[in-house]
Amino acid sequence: MDPTKAHDRILILDYGSQYTQLIARRVREERVYCEIQPPDRSLDWIRQWGPAGIILSGGPSSVYDAEVPTVNREVLELGIPVLGICYGMQLVAHMEGAVVERGRREYGRAELTVEEPDELFDGFEAGEVTTVWSSHGDHVNAPPPEYATLASTPALPVAAFRARDREVYGVQFHPEVAHTPRGEEILSNFLFRICGCRPTWTPGAFVDEAVERVREQVGDAEVVCGLSGGVDSSVAASLVHRAVGDRLTCIFVDNGVLRKGEREAVERTFRKHLGMRLVVADASDEFLDALDGVVDPEDKRVAVGNTFIRVFERVAREEVGEVPYLVQGTLYPDVIESLAVRGPSATIKTHHNVGGLPEEMSFELVEPLRELFKDEVRQVGRELGLPEEFVGRHPFPGPGLAIRILGRVSRDRLKTLREADSIYLEEIRSAGLYDEIWQAFCVLLPVQSVGVMGDARTYEDVVALRAVTSRDGMTADWYRFPDDVLATVSTRIINEVPGVNRVTYDVSSKPPATIEWE
């Protein structure tokens, strides 16, 4: 059963744009379901999937490149509305007989003049000027035959067009980014006025459909969940618990790379507040042995993933017996970043939920959150009645502190990082900033630096602070702390954590950096 078929759906064909995930987020924010798929999906696949509309994303290619990513031209003849964005517009123009010109690059803000306020620009006045965000090299000087120009910029005579006889549109700017102030309005017009979508993709609808899907998948079988105490696994466990009740057993594996007080907090909250069966297994020695001498971050993920499944299977057999189903809190960004679902886009890193696990497992995966972005998971958690302390928690990676210690992992280095991280989060909460920040954590660097303490020379560890703002983790900006907060954090870590004499702050955004360092 595919519960998303109960909703109007938008298909996004990905040509490698850094903004493709933003398109999906904007569509989801309008309560319309969408998926990102590679551009080589066949016509039969598209017909069967049944989109109410198709969006062709931007991308770094030129329509004249060798082995350029394209799409079957018959997509434009299916009777399904199409919106090409940036490269997607150029692709439509090229397939429909227009000349795509090279050069005349345009990056950054541009002033768009709306010439024909049809359905796509409903709410705009003819001649109205609005700011848009451009990022392109090629352009179109004249629309294809039987197409009309809808808008222009000082640099581009054709910044938007549409087919006169079909619902096929193109825009040479990015309506999905925040730098296009009325971009949300343009996308909304495409979804509702042109595609006729209904805003039915709500947390309540998702819960009802996901519960039915889980019941259909697992039948009368027992189910186990690897509970971490983070948002994803907590919401996934609660959703499955609603579906199968006491046939769910949650197993919390202490892998030795948890934050300070993590195990105790999970035990206390899940047993007391949520009423689920919880089994706690201390396997820290086993995990640390597997991580001994491992430096490469991908190898760390594999080591943690393999050990987790081995321990998890053993504990599940001992506590429950042979259990066929394992619940995981896999999210949509995990899938996008880890699998070959993004067409020309590159894999950034293996995510612990969809990579780094053994191919041979005795479990079939139950992934009830697989279609959701992080903010949607939080909304579902609230719909399920989860405590805000869990729903609002910052993300924490499955490999834990192992990927926040650059280089070798040891008990001593884990202790150092735990203490520093605890101080950092304590001060963020004390300053009332925790809910403003998407994710905050410390990183222990594999270098030492010279310092002076008590008039004596020191040569000790360096801790980096990371804090970002984001909507879904796909893009992020570094958080601008008040100076006094950073000063307090630095002073406390250096004074209270033995072996640390320097604290730095990471001011990198994503992209080009990732949120986690490894």
Side-chain angles (χ1 to χ4, degrees), residues 40-176:
D40 58 358
R41 288 299 190 189
S42 68
L43 288 174
D44 287 342
W45 186 95
I46 293 173
R47 289 191 188 98
Q48 185 175 6
W49 198 77
I54 299 172
I55 296 177
L56 311 180
S57 85
S61 302
S62 166
V63 295
Y64 300 113
D65 289 345
E67 300 182 4
V68 63
T70 185
V71 70
N72 191 321
R73 185 186 174 280
E74 291 182 39
V75 163
L76 307 181
E77 307 289 348
L78 291 176
I80 301 170
V82 175
L83 172 63
I85 295 177
C86 198
Y87 174 78
M89 173 185 174
Q90 296 164 15
L91 188 59
V92 170
H94 183 63
M95 291 190 298
E96 294 285 80
V99 175
V100 178
E101 303 282 352
R102 292 183 178 275
R104 198 179 298 173
R105 300 179 177 221
E106 192 173 29
Y107 296 101
R109 289 179 175 82
E111 297 303 307
L112 183 85
T113 300
V114 177
E115 299 178 9
E116 186 177 323
D118 74 337
E119 290 94 339
L120 190 64
F121 291 96
D122 183 61
F124 292 75
E125 298 291 336
E128 183 174 348
V129 178
T130 184
T131 301
V132 297
W133 186 261
S134 296
S135 179
H136 63 89
D138 295 351
H139 65 281
V140 179
N141 275 333
E146 302 305 318
Y147 275 68
T149 298
L150 301 180
S152 62
T153 71
L156 299 177
V158 182
F161 62 45
R162 68 156 297 173
R164 297 184 186 278
D165 59 343
R166 289 161 293 150
E167 301 284 7
V168 178
Y169 298 80
V171 294
Q172 191 57 77
F173 56 90
H174 290 276
E176 69 273 21

Side-chain angles (χ1 to χ4, degrees), residues 227-265:
L227 190 65
S228 70
V231 177
D232 305 341
S233 69
S234 299
V235 174
S238 297
L239 193 57
V240 173
H241 186 254
R242 179 170 291 194
V244 305
D246 293 340
R247 287 186 285 117
L248 171 67
T249 298
C250 293
I251 298 174
F252 181 85
V253 176
D254 185 345
N255 57 18
V257 289
L258 301 173
R259 290 171 291 195
K260 186 176 181 179
E262 190 88 14
R263 173 176 166 178
E264 294 79 9

Side-chain angles (χ1 to χ4, degrees), residues 449-462 490-503:
S449 70
V450 173
V452 178
M453 290 184 178
D455 296 324
R457 177 187 184 274
T458 62
Y459 191 61
E460 295 179 330
D461 290 327
V462 180
S490 176
T491 299
R492 284 196 61 193
I493 289 175
I494 292 172
N495 286 345
E496 298 176 31
V497 182
V500 176
N501 69 358
R502 190 178 300 272
V503 174

